[in-house]
Amino acid sequence: MAYPFQLGFQDATSPIMEELLHFHDHTLMIVFLISSLVLYIISLMLTTKLTHTSTMDAQEVETIWTILPAIILILIALPSLRILYMMDEINNPSLTVKTMGHQWYWSYEYTDYEDLNFDSYMIPTQELKPGELRLLEVDNRVVLPMEMTIRMLISSEDVLHSWAVPSLGLKTDAIPGRLNQTTLMGTRPGLYYGQCSEICGSNHSFMPIVLELVPLAYFEKWSASML
């Protein structure tokens, strides 16, 4: 869960999000080094009146500043491609959940169970209990087992939506007539909040997502009570 004036990402709760955080730090360090070098060169050019004539017309310097950016781009592209392929992998999911976007709520169906489905609406501000979060709490949370591979099938009934949970590194578009899929695996129990991340109409801000990751034994009790 994000907190006020937070500058970085939310704490990672899945292996994919941990990889994304590492890649962000890796890329940010490269950007910081390049910015520092450019700022240093600009400051030198503004403060000195001397000109190194042999440097201004040197084939070696031109070769270096042509090859060096290409090497930097490769150092950014290779880790990025690795993470992209990791995010697309589906390895024998233990559970499949189908989520449908509506104007303006989400509906969920546990396809491995015969009759386990529900709608998830945002709780209005005047009905919130002490300690609950405004615009983020829902009447029916998505309860999922932790440390298990879960496949999410995402689509929409009406307009474009986007099912996003930042702490899990998830953001998948919900498109009418198309079934997108993504995987998640939570590494620790807790409540994880998300929101629709595609402008979908007047109440776009009022369709939050709440995942409750729990141990497998608790999930089995919950699923039995819902049937």
Side-chain angles (χ1 to χ4, degrees), residues 23 73-88:
F23 176 67
L73 289 176
I74 291 173
L75 292 176
I76 296 175
L78 292 180
S80 175
L81 290 172
R82 172 176 166 270
I83 296 174
L84 281 174
Y85 279 105
M86 287 176 60
M87 295 174 70
D88 282 339

